[in-house]
């Protein structure tokens, strides 16, 4: 079975500082990995994905994520945080137990960027 | 281009009442999903539909039914609402890799 862990419920960072939101995963097949962001009272928005290729993937709004196969991690990063980055972030993997039809989401990490 | 549209955005039900949550996508995607979001638990899959005419149970299907009316529409029905079904419900669709989400329905059962 696939699973996703986000070890931090909350991450606080000062505006202008680098941010990292952590994700580790367990999959039975190829790790198709995703990051989504949820702003208050909104749906989830796709940020970036890793399917294959370069371990460093770049996404929307200046975010990037590093795939590390040996550590089974896919941490989300941004070099300089903005107050507007404050939101709930979800890591997800494709669920290969159902022929890749579904996604398994982590519990979410709330990011607060302080001015 | 509306993407994934859910209705209603908010709903309050009394225990035992029924209702249907509507979802439509205009991206010609094959797969559609219903998730519920509860604090600290992420998103949990209720039902999904891999293509028009097919539906399958997800992680938490009890108390729910779905209909894939056509390629565009995927509805979620609560036959007899219970307070444990108080949650935020999201519909999503997918063609290849990533999923696209609607804005959610906040449902309260009293």
């Amino acid at each position: 079975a696939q699973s996703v862990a986000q070890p931090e419920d909350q991450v606080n960072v000062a505006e202008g500082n680098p941010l990292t939101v952590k994700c580790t995963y367990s999959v039975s097949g190829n790790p198709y990995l995703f990051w989504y962001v949820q702003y208050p009272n909104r749906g989830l928005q796709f940020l970036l994905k890793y399917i294959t290729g370069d371990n460093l993937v770049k996404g929307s709004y200046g975010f990037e994520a590093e795939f590390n196969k040996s550590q089974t991690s896919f941490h989300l990063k941004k070099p300089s945080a903005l107050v507007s980055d404050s939101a709930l972030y979800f890591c997800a993997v494709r669920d290969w137990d159902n022929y890749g039809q579904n996604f398994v989401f982590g519990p979410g990490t709330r990011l607060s960027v302080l001015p | 281009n509306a993407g994934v549209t859910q209705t209603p955005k908010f709903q309050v039900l009394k225990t035992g009442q029924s209702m249907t949550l509507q979802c439509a996508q205009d991206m010609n995607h094959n797969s559609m999903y219903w998730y519920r979001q509860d604090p600290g638990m992420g998103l949990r899959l209720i039902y999904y539909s891999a293509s028009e005419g097919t539906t399958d149970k997800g992680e938490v299907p009890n108390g729910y039914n779905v209909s894939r009316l056509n390629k565009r529409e995927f509805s979620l029905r609560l036959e007899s609402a219970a307070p444990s079904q108080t949650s935020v419900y999201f519909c999503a669709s997918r063609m290849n890799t990533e999923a696209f989400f609607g804005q959610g329905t906040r449902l309260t059962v009293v």
Side-chain angles (χ1 to χ4, degrees):
Chain A
Q2 276 61 223
S3 65
V4 177
Q6 294 181 244
E8 300 157 318
D9 292 336
Q10 173 95 30
V11 171
N12 297 320
V13 63
E15 187 174 30
N17 283 0
L19 69 87
T20 298
V21 182
K22 296 180 180 178
C23 171
T24 58
Y25 65 89
S26 174
V27 297
S28 56
N30 291 326
Y32 284 18
L33 298 157
F34 306 84
W35 275 102
Y36 286 85
V37 59
Q38 184 181 29
Y39 298 103
N41 299 314
R42 302 293 299 273
L44 278 70
Q45 295 179 31
F46 170 75
L47 275 181
L48 50 80
K49 64 184 176 185
Y50 172 83
I51 304 298
T52 186
D54 195 349
N55 289 344
L56 184 66
V57 294
K58 295 186 182 298
S60 307
Y61 313 120
F63 283 94
E64 57 189 28
E66 186 169 11
F67 170 66
N68 187 317
K69 188 173 183 178
S70 63
Q71 297 186 3
T72 61
S73 67
F74 189 57
H75 301 332
L76 182 69
K77 300 180 180 183
K78 188 173 183 181
S80 179
L82 299 173
V83 172
S84 57
D85 292 330
S86 298
L88 188 57
Y89 290 80
F90 291 98
C91 183
V93 299
R94 283 286 278 275
D95 182 2
W96 295 112
D97 287 348
N98 289 285
Y99 306 103
Q101 287 295 332
N102 304 326
F103 299 83
V104 174
F105 286 84
T109 298
R110 188 164 300 280
L111 173 68
S112 292
V113 181
L114 309 173
Chain B
N1 187 356
V4 180
T5 303
Q6 290 182 237
T7 56
K9 288 186 170 52
F10 302 93
Q11 185 71 48
V12 178
L13 288 179
K14 294 182 179 179
T15 298
Q17 286 186 318
S18 63
M19 79 161 295
T20 300
L21 281 64
Q22 306 286 354
C23 175
Q25 53 94 6
D26 60 4
M27 295 174 283
N28 202 35
H29 288 172
N30 287 328
S31 299
M32 296 186 74
Y33 307 84
W34 277 105
Y35 290 91
R36 59 178 288 172
Q37 182 183 23
D38 301 293
M41 302 187 74
L43 276 75
R44 293 183 293 169
L45 182 66
I46 304 171
Y47 272 92
Y48 71 98
S49 171
S51 61
E52 184 179 352
T54 68
T55 61
D56 286 283
K57 295 179 180 179
E59 181 184 357
V60 288
N62 291 345
Y64 305 96
N65 285 301
V66 291
S67 296
R68 183 76 182 264
L69 304 170
N70 47 55
K71 193 170 187 179
R72 290 187 65 249
E73 298 172 289
F74 188 39
S75 62
L76 178 72
R77 182 160 179 85
L78 288 70
E79 291 292 351
S80 179
S84 61
Q85 294 178 304
T86 293
S87 187
V88 181
Y89 291 84
F90 288 101
C91 178
S93 70
R94 179 184 67 83
M95 176 61 84
N96 293 314
T97 52
E98 66 268 25
F100 296 84
F101 286 81
Q103 293 204 344
T105 297
R106 187 173 294 275
L107 175 66
T108 302
V109 182
V110 298

